[in-house]
Amino acid sequence: MAAAARLRLFASSHLSPRLSRTAPWYGRGTRALCTLSSTLGSGAGEDEIERIRHEFEDAKRNYLSIPAAIKNMPKMNPQGIYVNKNVKLDDLQVYGFDYDYTLSHYSDHLQCLIYDLAKKHLVNELKYPESCLQYEYDCNFPVRGLYYDKLKGCLLKLDFFGSIEPDGCFFGRRKLSLTEIKELYGTRHIGRDQARQLVGLMDVFCFSEACLIADIVQHFVDAKLEFDAPYVYEDVNESIQHVHRSGLVHRKVLSEPQKFLIKNSQVFRFLKTLREKGKRLFLLTNSPFYFVDGGMSYLLEDQHFDGNSWRELFDVVIAQANKPSFYNSDHPFRVYDTTKDTLAFTAVDKFLPNEVYYHGCLKSFLQITKWRGPEVIYFGDHLLSDLRGPSKAGWRTAAVIRELEDEIGIQNSDNYRFQQAKLSIIHDLLGKVHATVVSTEKGQVYRALLDELNAERRQCRSGMRDLFSSSFGATFLTDTGKESSFAYHIHQYADIYTSKLDNFLSHAPESWLHPPHDIKIMPHNAKVPASLFTSS
């Protein structure tokens, strides 16, 4: 490999240490601003700074008393259905579902299992140092929607416009400062050429992968061993894929379903309601049939079927579909013999009741079923593998994002809104300071005021992020309260999104779901405006 493509990374990194954070502003912000104001000479600059100081003090007085404006602000529904594009449920005649993390949900034990099995594969088969076995899965470290930079070895969280989050860049387990990010990338914005080196970690299964990547990089750094960042990703990804393809995870889950699978009788109720309304249902999953069959049988063992199996709920069952290639390939369908565990050789030109099908492609699926795109909605958790293909093919799409429920709960809390409102005030004041014309001799005072406000902004961002995760913060939001890159993909490929399927039980099948008229990007993100805390 060319020298330019290799990195020599050691524990004694050349990257500078992270900047320390400042203490909270209330109690000292007034004194600092008064000092700045008193050092100004006469003129428009002094008057403008003084005016900003009064606004700041007025806002603080209202803010610290937690005004009724915050308490009475409507809260978002954690079990709500959030809409990016208009969807008339009455027009939908066909409902399709992914299996993992859509029809089924798993405990944190699954991520630990995948991590441990992949770690052992790295050591036993790919001959990584045995000391790598000491690491354990950390459920508090990763969030969904991260990127791994195969060239530089960093885990990144990007915002809606593709820029690196100031507190969202990790090399191993060490968070890089903004100065270090700019030293490494030159700028926070990821350009087109740099984007080619990024690998998206978009689904829940990627939690264990992101954590293992960071731990392996950290191991090499601590051991002062030379390594090549692309190889780390290739080896970890190969190990993760081996765990799934070998069936190690599937067999372990089925051997202890009570440990890994989370039962929810409301999912069955939702599926049954759809059937009673005359809707057609299909299952389209990448998992093997025996794993789906074992899982569904456990999840629905307490329910009563008119027939003999959960398969009675679905008109078509397709396993090992190889998404996302399913949506643009020409692979034929194969009939799967559930008794002999074999695939038939006869061509599939129609879908028969009680049969199970493997592989296939979207083109053949639509030819056989005669279902029109706009009347089909597909539910999945992986925005790229599950939903991007159907979205481009004209299907309606629904993202099932489990983290949504917890994150909305945090956004509804007084603590989060307190920090969010404080950040709104600081942003408002910063905009006014930037717009102030200050003469050359007053430049030092002007810069000091900017430093003061920027320090307060960092403190607010940290407080908001730590309510979610001290490492990468929220899944849908950046530390500034704006939308993340993960939110961008939801905006692009999901017509609607929610935390779990049974949330649809609160909506009649004839409902018309439409986005609020005043929402710019993500309908579940409520903003607290700075204007609530300023004097009349």
Side-chain angles (χ1 to χ4, degrees), residues 306-354:
D306 295 333
N308 298 318
S309 167
W310 61 268
R311 287 159 53 189
E312 298 289 334
L313 293 168
F314 297 94
D315 297 274
V316 183
V317 174
I318 302 168
Q320 288 200 334
N322 300 317
K323 296 176 292 182
S325 64
F326 176 89
Y327 298 112
N328 51 31
S329 72
D330 291 317
H331 294 158
F333 283 102
R334 304 282 296 274
V335 177
Y336 174 72
D337 190 318
T338 60
T339 303
K340 299 179 180 179
D341 188 27
T342 58
L343 295 175
F345 295 98
T346 55
V348 175
D349 55 9
K350 59 182 177 180
F351 292 132
L352 300 175
N354 300 319

Side-chain angles (χ1 to χ4, degrees), residues 125-143:
E125 302 299 329
L126 302 183
K127 307 307 177 184
Y128 272 59
E130 288 192 9
S131 51
C132 291
L133 295 174
Q134 66 181 302
Y135 294 102
E136 296 181 356
Y137 176 70
D138 180 4
C139 63
N140 296 316
F141 177 71
V143 298

Side-chain angles (χ1 to χ4, degrees), residues 400-516:
V400 179
I401 310 296
R402 196 71 174 185
E403 304 95 305
L404 181 66
E405 195 163 318
D406 290 336
E407 295 208 354
I408 290 179
I410 293 173
Q411 291 179 55
N412 284 339
S413 68
D414 289 341
N415 194 359
Y416 179 84
R417 292 187 174 196
F418 183 91
Q419 297 291 345
Q420 187 184 36
K422 187 164 67 172
L423 186 62
S424 295
I425 292 171
I426 293 169
H427 280 165
D428 188 54
L429 293 172
L430 276 170
K432 292 176 180 179
V433 171
H434 281 299
T436 303
V437 178
V438 180
S439 60
T440 304
E441 60 271 16
K442 296 171 184 172
Q444 184 176 356
V445 174
Y446 178 76
R447 287 192 297 272
L449 176 57
L450 286 179
D451 290 343
E452 169 76 14
L453 291 173
N454 282 325
E456 312 309 343
R457 179 170 61 175
R458 287 193 296 270
Q459 187 270 334
C460 290
R461 289 177 176 177
S462 177
M464 294 169 68
R465 182 188 66 252
D466 292 349
L467 290 172
F468 298 95
S469 164
S470 59
S471 54
F472 291 100
T475 302
F476 296 89
L477 297 172
T478 65
D479 293 348
T480 63
K482 302 296 179 62
E483 283 74 15
S484 65
S485 175
F486 182 74
Y488 169 81
H489 288 297
I490 291 182
H491 190 68
Q492 287 288 101
Y493 303 124
D495 294 341
I496 52 181
Y497 62 99
T498 191
S499 62
K500 53 185 184 292
L501 288 176
D502 43 289
N503 293 339
F504 280 84
L505 288 171
S506 61
H507 293 262
E510 299 80 18
S511 298
W512 177 23
L513 305 177
H514 56 86

Side-chain angles (χ1 to χ4, degrees), residues 141 153-155 170-174 213-215 217-218 221:
F141 177 71
C154 293
L155 275 174
F170 277 75
F171 183 69
R173 284 304 197 97
R174 188 172 76 85
I213 287 173
D215 287 341
V217 170
Q218 190 63 50
V221 170

Side-chain angles (χ1 to χ4, degrees), residues 7 30 57 204 273 301 317 337 368-369 414 420 479 504 513:
L7 293 176
T30 303
E57 290 189 354
V204 182
T273 298
E301 66 182 357
V317 174
D337 190 318
I368 294 172
T369 62
D414 289 341
Q420 187 184 36
D479 293 348
F504 280 84
L513 305 177

Side-chain angles (χ1 to χ4, degrees), residues 6-9 148 153 171 217 220-221 225-229 232:
R6 297 185 61 83
L7 293 176
R8 294 188 175 186
L9 302 167
Y148 178 67
F171 183 69
V217 170
F220 284 126
V221 170
L225 296 174
E226 181 181 350
F227 73 99
D228 201 48
V232 170

Side-chain angles (χ1 to χ4, degrees), residues 19 27 62 103 114 170 213 216 265 269-270 296 348 374 393 401 450 474 495 501:
L19 295 175
N62 291 330
L103 288 173
I114 296 172
F170 277 75
I213 287 173
I216 295 300
S265 61
R269 182 183 161 203
F270 172 58
M296 289 291 285
V348 175
I401 310 296
L450 286 179
D495 294 341
L501 288 176

